[in-house]
Amino acid sequence: MNLLWLPLTLLSALFLATSDALTKKALARHNDYLVMWLRLLPTVALALPLFFGERPYLSRDFITCVGLALPLEAVAFVLYIKALKLSPLNLTLPFLSLTPVFLLVVPAIVLKERISFIGGAGVLLVAAGSYLLNLQKGRHGVLAPLKAIREEKGSLFMIAVAVIYTFTSTLGKRAIALSSPLTFTEIYLPALALLITPLALYKGRRELSAITKDGAIRAAALPALCYALQAISHSYAIDIANVAYMIAVKRTSLLFGVLYGRVLFREEGRLFSTILMLIGVFLIVIGG
């Protein structure tokens, strides 16, 4: 396996965590749907090479993969932004560690990828870290995690996002294999931005007239740049790595996210649980 995927994935994780933290800061002052839209809208520019350069051949299988993934990605994007707004970063982002758990099954069926015994042990540690994360919040016995999840709508939303990302990651890798990382990014992100536009404009219609005056565009500019950079590095990394391993390592964004939560929002840290998840991530990686 080409080891270049590791630094590319870590770079993607850093850009993602930075985009999330800056987005959460923007959500405190602006309409969430407009911020969501503005974070993604600049990626439309990625499609320009398709109009001014040589157009790549797109197979029917590629179109099918993208067509299936885009609606799921749109739903996940909305839930993701809602989760960031409703709950602390360290109670939402760690649930993305569940995606590698689900990825033990889906890529094995679709892409014929396999996980080793050590990788499976890492998955168990990821699940244990998620359990302890919520256990610290409640103080009423072993059922406390379930109660904490019920109280934190942001956590529930992020769990749903983790499930959806299982399928979009798998479909995305298949689409990249049928084209290239750059071609996939140039098509997928602009299409996602256009798909979300009607919903964002409708939900944010009351604040749309003030969008140029209230600082929303300026607040979303840096998160948008970071989001585009994480997507590009993600596509190149997943093209040369096992899906479960790549997504697992990308969850190092959790650690960055917790640190951002403490520094920017003075949120209570749960570093032990996050570090436990990251140990699991490490085992998943070396298991490959």
Side-chain angles (χ1 to χ4, degrees):
M1 184 184 296
N2 188 339
L3 291 180
L4 183 60
W5 75 271
L6 185 56
L8 283 172
T9 302
L10 292 173
L11 192 61
S12 180
L14 178 59
F15 281 132
L16 178 59
T18 304
S19 180
D20 286 341
L22 293 173
T23 298
K24 183 174 177 65
K25 197 170 184 178
L27 288 172
R29 303 187 303 274
H30 307 288
N31 179 276
D32 51 342
Y33 283 93
L34 288 181
V35 170
M36 171 194 74
W37 179 56
L38 289 172
R39 172 166 120 154
L40 192 59
L41 188 61
T43 62
V44 172
L46 294 174
L48 291 178
L50 297 176
F51 293 96
F52 298 102
E54 183 179 353
R55 296 184 181 180
Y57 168 74
L58 303 178
S59 68
R60 180 178 297 180
D61 287 344
F62 173 89
I63 295 173
T64 299
C65 288
V66 171
L68 290 173
L70 277 174
L72 292 173
E73 193 82 51
V75 172
F77 203 87
V78 174
L79 292 177
Y80 198 109
I81 299 297
K82 285 290 188 181
L84 293 181
K85 184 173 184 179
L86 291 174
S87 299
L89 288 175
N90 54 9
L91 283 180
T92 53
L93 297 185
F95 280 106
L96 290 178
S97 284
L98 294 174
T99 300
V101 178
F102 305 134
L103 281 171
L104 293 177
V105 178
V106 178
I109 297 174
V110 179
L111 304 175
K112 308 303 181 183
E113 294 183 346
R114 294 292 183 268
I115 303 298
S116 68
F117 176 80
I118 295 177
V123 169
L124 293 178
L125 283 180
V126 169
S130 299
Y131 177 85
L132 292 175
L133 177 77
N134 289 280
L135 188 62
Q136 292 176 353
K137 187 178 188 302
R139 298 180 181 178
H140 305 287
V142 294
L143 295 180
L146 296 178
K147 296 177 181 179
I149 290 175
R150 291 179 61 184
E151 293 169 2
E152 290 290 346
K153 290 184 178 180
S155 296
L156 287 174
F157 289 155
M158 200 60 84
I159 291 172
V161 170
V163 175
I164 293 173
Y165 279 173
T166 304
F167 295 95
T168 57
S169 296
T170 304
L171 291 169
K173 174 156 186 178
R174 175 61 179 161
I176 290 171
L178 293 167
S179 56
S180 72
L182 189 57
T183 297
F184 174 76
T185 305
E186 290 173 342
I187 293 174
Y188 193 75
L189 286 184
L192 179 60
L194 294 176
L195 184 61
I196 289 176
T197 294
L199 175 64
L201 294 180
Y202 176 75
K203 290 290 187 178
R205 62 191 182 281
R206 295 181 180 178
E207 300 177 34
L208 194 59
S209 59
I211 195 173
T212 59
K213 302 177 182 179
D214 65 359
I217 294 178
R218 184 172 62 254
L222 190 53
L225 175 61
C226 290
Y227 188 80
L229 290 173
Q230 73 83 23
I232 294 171
S233 51
H234 173 107
S235 294
Y236 276 96
I238 205 168
D239 184 44
I240 56 177
N242 179 295
V243 177
Y245 295 155
M246 183 271 165
I247 295 299
V249 173
K250 189 176 179 180
R251 293 308 172 246
T252 54
S253 63
L254 301 176
L255 182 56
F256 298 130
V258 170
L259 293 175
Y260 277 136
R262 297 183 71 177
V263 173
L264 297 180
F265 309 110
R266 296 182 180 180
E267 296 174 353
E268 179 186 353
R270 289 174 171 80
L271 285 177
F272 175 75
S273 299
T274 304
I275 290 173
L276 186 61
M277 293 185 210
L278 294 179
I279 293 174
V281 167
F282 174 74
L283 290 179
I284 291 172
V285 174
I286 65 173

